[in-house]
Amino acid sequence: GPHHGRGLAACGVVVVALDFRQGPDHKHPAAAQDISAGVRWVRANASELGIDPKRIGICGYSSGGQLALLVAVQPGVFGTDDGVAFAIALYPVADPHARYRYALSRKNDPTFAEGAARLAASSVNYFSDEATMAAASVTGVVERKQARALPPVWLAHPGMDDNVPVEITNAFVSAYEGMGGRIERVHFPGAKHGFIGQASADTTKAIEAMRDFIGRQLSGR
């Protein structure tokens, strides 16, 4: 995301933007493997980038938030040497299966039918089936005690999100904290899904909060 990427870079944080394969041409876990490879590349090039290889974090939003969290809690699953010190997730699709079921439930809602159909189709295009969606659920991974790490998480929670309903985020936060993980959830009551993509007061607030969170992680506080 150019807004928060540039905003964080302006604070002195080294920001590396990662690309990843998407459906329908590619299937899970291709995208998670790409994120893992990106973390590994940053670590391998740490001296050239002028960073501490032990203090690499990961950030993602929406489906990218699911990828960031999935790699963060399962170091070594999608690639070697891809552990991170912290994760930042903006309105993440923490449970793709629950979000798919939500989309199906709204496919006849005239206020959201088109969006629901798009969300459902994109889920199938990448995950293929519901069993794979459930296996890729970060909430499920944590609840099933399959998490290999629980790094500190900063999470942006828009109050007007019709893409990821509040129940999905609440379930993830509850599972993570229930296993001893630490989450800082920042509420943006009037914001919608995707708000970080446009300049706004909420975007500025989010970048400042992310900067402060990162600073605390890097200083060990």
Side-chain angles (χ1 to χ4, degrees):
H3 279 291
H4 68 277
R6 291 190 189 117
L8 294 174
C11 303
V13 177
V14 175
V15 177
V16 179
L18 305 181
D19 198 2
F20 53 86
R21 289 168 288 175
Q22 301 180 43
D25 295 336
H26 304 282
K27 304 295 183 186
H28 177 76
Q33 291 167 343
D34 291 345
I35 300 303
S36 168
V39 174
R40 190 162 61 252
W41 182 90
V42 171
R43 181 159 286 123
N45 292 276
S47 57
E48 190 178 328
L49 295 168
I51 63 170
D52 181 346
K54 295 187 183 69
R55 300 195 298 176
I56 297 170
I58 193 166
C59 174
Y61 54 92
S62 195
S63 58
Q66 182 259 348
L67 293 171
L69 292 170
L70 194 63
V71 172
V73 302
Q74 294 190 297
V77 169
F78 302 105
T80 57
D81 203 22
D82 62 354
V84 294
F86 61 88
I88 290 176
L90 297 100
Y91 31 86
V93 185
D95 185 342
H97 186 229
R99 211 278 295 269
Y100 175 69
R101 302 298 300 178
Y102 161 74
L104 293 183
S105 77
R106 295 197 64 184
K107 69 181 191 303
N108 295 320
D109 178 347
T111 66
F112 196 64
E114 188 177 330
R118 179 176 49 79
L119 294 181
S122 62
S123 297
V124 173
N125 283 342
Y126 179 64
F127 292 106
S128 297
D129 55 50
E130 293 190 51
T132 305
M133 294 175 202
S137 165
V138 186
T139 308
V141 166
V142 173
E143 288 176 341
R144 295 189 294 265
K145 300 184 179 177
Q146 295 170 340
R148 298 179 170 201
L150 294 170
V153 170
W154 185 93
L155 189 146
H157 191 153
M160 308 293 286
D161 197 333
D162 59 4
N163 186 305
V164 178
V166 62
E167 293 81 7
I168 289 177
T169 301
N170 286 347
F172 166 66
V173 171
S174 177
Y176 208 80
E177 292 180 340
M179 289 296 175
R182 185 160 55 87
I183 293 187
E184 292 186 24
R185 173 166 31 173
V186 180
H187 292 270
F188 298 85
K192 296 181 179 180
H193 191 89
F195 76 86
I196 201 72
Q198 298 83 36
S200 69
D202 281 326
T203 296
T204 300
K205 174 187 170 184
I207 292 170
E208 290 175 348
M210 285 189 273
R211 176 199 64 197
D212 293 346
F213 172 79
I214 293 168
R216 282 183 277 115
Q217 305 316 308
L218 297 187
S219 65
R221 295 202 303 277

